Amino acid sequence: MANSSASSNAPAKKLNLSRFKNLEFVLGILLAGGIGLAVALSWLLFPDGGRAVNLMARLTPPFADPAHLLGTDPLGRDILARVIIGGRISLTVGIVSTAGAVIIGVIMGLIAGYYRGIWDMVVMRFADIQLALPFILLAITFIAIIGGGLVNTIILLIVSQWVQYARLVRGSVLALREREFVQSARAIGVKDINIILRHLLPNLLGPVIVLMTINVANNILLESSLTFLGLGVDPTIPSWGGMLAEGRTYLQTAWWISVFPGVAILLTVLGLNLLGDWLRDTLDPTGRTRI
Amino acid sequence: MAKFIFYRILQAIFVVFAVTLTVSFAIRLTGDPAIMLSQGAGSITEADLERIREALGLNRPFLVQYWDFVSGVFVGDFGRSFMGGTSVGALIARALPATLMLALVSLFLSIVISIPLGITAAVSRGKWADQAIRILSLVGLSFPNFWLAIMLVLVFSITFRLLPPSGMEGPISFIMPAATMAIILTATNVRLVRTTMLETLRSQYVMVARAKGLSETKVLYKHALRNCAIPLVTYFGLQFGGLLGGIVVIERVFNWPGLGTLAFEAVAARDYPVLQAVITVLSLLIVSINLLVDIAYGLLDPRIRTE
């Protein structure tokens, strides 16, 4: 299966898209890296954590006061500072939840694909259940039980996302285990654990890395939706979703509160998606992670 | 084939049971509705709470309550809401069409836009049109749906006062919610159409159609598109779950009287029967659409059945 799709997709690689692909890579790095850097430096740039209230300067429009380039909110807090600080939540949630999902999903997928049997059935049935339940409904119920907050949001994202890695890895393992190098390793009596770690894992990392990049982007979107709905991170901590929820009340009078945090989400996610797209062409030419 | 269908139906039934069982169990951990109901009622004793629980049937063992719910669903009875005793079936009957209509309008809009765009991208593969569509699709994928909705409200309701910012009154209120969903769906669908079309264009009957001198439009839209239909319908069908999930969020922004709004209100009030019913209906809907898609695909393409 993997072999036949590889050969049918091969002619696509002949086209010379390198100039465009490089542009995609550069743009992606600039956006994701730039925002990541700004967020990392936020502890130095804004030691007050964006909490400085200044009622004299409340609801300053953007580009009017050089001290508040993107304007201020109803408490006179600087929007630019809060947007950069808000990135801490989004990036932390995006990266940590993806890492957790990858670890669980890859292990489960390896076991399911290599040993088949009951494990395989359990993992695949989990996948079915997950496909039938929209994430946001799972989230509503889950958060109602264990409450919101940063850690719970991360747990929720891990619980709902590991399955896609398990499915991807399982599929690749099913194809790989029939290949000659795996069969011969088994024939000469290499231990299962060594076959999995030395022969299977390195051969399926490409698609996993691609999926991870896109998954960080997606989890940033999901976290901001949850926080926006009041189900995610504590609203008193500056976060993009939380700022957007606050801004809705002032949509009539102060549009900038609702615009800039959204732009920040859009640019971060776009940067990651551009990188993911570039990585896919580089690491996953057979297109297993293609939507 | 009969075996394949039988197996798929069995699997679907299992999934629906697993989902409803988990949700009914989970929601009972979220808090005591008796306490929620008695809030603001002055001094409440434990005996009063116990009486409320008894009246709502909450003092029975969980499996009894679950069985009660499941056997009710089979005869179309979803029980009564804890808040005011309205029939849950009636609440669902009011909310489901609102959500479904929005979903179908969005999906239709998105298909109408993505087919020509996807075909254009496939035909001009590697050229500037393809790259432009690719970048646009990446941008579309990067939008937080609720923020896109807020931006539409900002532009069309607040700045230009053209469209109503919320509610469902007549066709005009469909424009913004459907546009939000359609933009995000189109981002994915364009790529699906493009990929499917590229595969089809490589096949021999397309070469034959071209060789016999048919116009390019006829080749693309009559011969190639028709053969893309099966995989595309499958993709669109499988998207339905995600689409409904997105609509749940969008409903909050537009105050849309659908299942999402109903679910949020139910969680806030610990209204078990309502939330249970919303999730059951949604998962039934998604599972049966996936099932239909799978069976249809299995009938049309024998290679799938061996999976």
Side-chain angles (χ1 to χ4, degrees):
Chain A
M1 181 66 198
N3 282 335
S4 70
S5 73
S7 56
S8 67
N9 273 327
K13 298 291 291 176
K14 270 194 296 193
L15 269 165
N16 185 12
L17 294 172
S18 59
R19 240 222 241 112
F20 171 79
K21 291 310 314 178
N22 289 341
L23 182 74
E24 204 175 31
F25 172 72
V26 170
L27 258 176
I29 282 284
L30 279 180
L31 282 174
I35 291 167
L37 190 68
V39 172
L41 291 176
S42 68
W43 279 273
L44 288 174
L45 294 170
F46 311 104
D48 68 341
R51 289 196 186 84
V53 172
N54 177 6
L55 290 177
M56 298 294 287
R58 66 191 299 267
L59 296 178
T60 313
F63 315 119
D65 177 358
H68 302 293
L69 202 57
L70 299 185
T72 61
D73 71 1
L75 294 173
R77 295 175 299 191
D78 186 55
I79 298 279
L80 178 62
R82 287 176 70 79
V83 165
I84 294 175
I85 291 162
R88 292 175 191 171
I89 294 287
S90 293
L91 295 186
T92 310
V93 172
I95 293 167
V96 176
S97 59
T98 303
V102 168
I103 294 170
I104 298 175
V106 169
I107 293 175
M108 295 299 231
L110 282 170
I111 296 175
Y114 191 73
Y115 294 107
R116 308 295 310 267
I118 186 86
W119 266 108
D120 194 22
M121 243 195 60
V122 172
V123 170
M124 292 321 281
R125 291 300 80 80
F126 258 112
D128 292 341
I129 296 174
Q130 208 215 340
L131 270 178
L133 195 62
F135 168 80
I136 208 79
L137 284 181
L138 179 74
I140 294 172
T141 325
F142 190 88
I143 298 290
I145 307 164
I146 64 168
L150 182 63
V151 176
N152 290 352
T153 307
I154 292 174
I155 296 176
L156 172 65
L157 286 169
I158 294 177
V159 168
S160 65
Q161 310 283 318
W162 68 269
V163 173
Q164 44 179 321
Y165 294 96
R167 281 165 65 101
L168 176 70
V169 167
R170 174 187 175 271
S172 310
V173 171
L174 285 184
L176 282 172
R177 71 199 285 266
E178 306 306 328
R179 297 272 293 275
E180 273 149 16
F181 66 94
V182 179
Q183 293 293 337
S184 29
R186 293 177 77 162
I188 59 171
V190 178
K191 278 197 210 122
D192 282 355
I193 182 79
N194 286 337
I195 292 181
I196 290 175
L197 292 181
R198 293 247 189 101
H199 298 285
L200 298 180
L201 198 56
N203 277 300
L204 44 83
L205 275 185
V208 170
I209 292 172
V210 175
L211 188 58
M212 271 171 75
T213 318
I214 299 162
N215 204 202
V216 172
N218 252 326
N219 285 355
I220 289 176
L221 286 180
L222 291 174
E223 177 274 324
S224 66
S225 315
L226 284 180
T227 308
F228 172 75
L229 293 168
L231 299 169
V233 178
D234 181 354
T236 58
I237 303 171
S239 69
W240 293 337
M243 290 174 77
L244 286 173
E246 254 173 41
R248 265 190 84 194
T249 334
Y250 298 90
L251 202 55
Q252 299 260 8
T253 47
W255 53 268
W256 54 93
I257 309 177
S258 298
V259 169
F260 297 119
V263 173
I265 302 176
L266 176 63
L267 294 182
T268 313
V269 173
L270 180 60
L272 288 165
N273 279 338
L274 284 167
L275 279 183
D277 216 50
W278 177 81
L279 278 171
R280 175 164 20 225
D281 290 342
T282 317
L283 295 176
D284 183 26
T286 56
R288 271 169 294 183
T289 53
R290 204 167 286 282
I291 34 167
Chain B
M1 188 61 204
K3 202 173 149 202
F4 167 78
I5 293 180
F6 176 74
Y7 178 73
R8 278 297 285 116
I9 290 177
L10 221 69
Q11 195 185 338
I13 293 172
F14 163 79
V15 169
V16 172
F17 263 103
V19 168
T20 53
L21 191 65
T22 319
V23 168
S24 324
F25 182 71
I27 190 169
R28 288 182 164 72
L29 303 172
T30 62
D32 190 344
I35 295 174
M36 294 293 287
L37 275 171
S38 54
Q39 257 168 13
S43 61
I44 294 282
T45 63
E46 186 51 39
D48 293 332
L49 289 179
E50 200 47 50
R51 276 219 312 285
I52 299 177
R53 285 184 202 123
E54 200 177 321
L56 298 176
L58 290 171
N59 53 349
R60 298 168 302 160
F62 167 69
L63 281 178
V64 175
Q65 293 181 44
Y66 178 68
W67 175 247
D68 203 38
F69 167 71
V70 172
S71 50
V73 171
F74 277 111
V75 293
D77 174 16
F78 285 98
R80 295 194 167 275
S81 159
F82 288 169
M83 307 288 133
T86 341
S87 143
V88 177
L91 289 174
I92 298 273
R94 221 174 305 146
L96 183 62
T99 298
L100 274 186
M101 246 161 24
L102 185 52
L104 290 176
V105 172
S106 316
L107 192 59
F108 175 77
L109 253 181
S110 153
I111 292 174
V112 168
I113 304 168
S114 37
I115 285 181
L117 277 184
I119 292 181
T120 311
V123 172
S124 58
R125 181 167 84 166
K127 301 201 185 100
W128 71 268
D130 185 25
Q131 307 301 4
I133 290 171
R134 185 176 167 133
I135 289 287
L136 272 180
S137 132
L138 274 180
V139 174
L141 280 175
S142 310
F143 269 110
N145 53 8
F146 64 95
W147 182 67
L148 183 58
I150 296 175
M151 290 302 103
L152 291 181
V153 170
L154 184 62
V155 173
F156 294 104
S157 302
I158 293 176
T159 310
F160 293 114
R161 303 190 175 284
L162 286 173
L163 298 167
S166 67
M168 187 177 83
E169 280 129 31
I172 198 166
S173 36
F174 274 88
I175 297 177
M176 283 198 293
T180 311
M181 291 310 300
I183 289 173
I184 288 171
L185 280 175
T186 303
T188 322
N189 287 347
V190 164
R191 300 185 140 209
L192 294 177
V193 174
R194 177 183 179 275
T195 314
T196 320
M197 202 60 181
L198 279 177
E199 293 228 324
T200 313
L201 288 180
R202 274 200 288 266
S203 50
Q204 296 197 331
Y205 57 81
V206 171
M207 278 166 60
V208 171
R210 279 190 176 137
K212 72 180 181 185
L214 287 182
S215 73
E216 193 60 17
T217 331
K218 229 176 191 167
V219 172
L220 289 177
Y221 283 84
K222 222 176 150 200
H223 291 258
L225 185 59
R226 189 174 290 176
N227 285 285
C228 289
I230 301 170
L232 284 182
V233 167
T234 315
Y235 289 131
F236 296 151
L238 292 176
Q239 251 177 10
F240 217 74
L243 172 60
L244 288 174
I247 285 181
V248 168
V249 180
I250 292 300
E251 281 183 6
R252 292 295 280 177
V253 178
F254 291 106
N255 227 339
W256 194 259
L259 289 174
T261 305
L262 198 59
F264 271 99
E265 285 164 359
V267 171
R270 305 277 179 268
D271 200 342
Y272 300 166
V274 175
L275 185 65
Q276 227 170 258
V278 170
I279 293 186
T280 307
V281 168
L282 279 176
S283 60
L284 262 175
L285 208 65
I286 296 167
V287 169
S288 28
I289 289 172
N290 288 352
L291 182 67
L292 282 178
V293 167
D294 265 10
I295 291 178
Y297 207 96
L299 283 172
L300 293 166
D301 188 342
R303 281 168 301 181
I304 307 297
R305 278 177 242 162
T306 51
E307 275 273 329

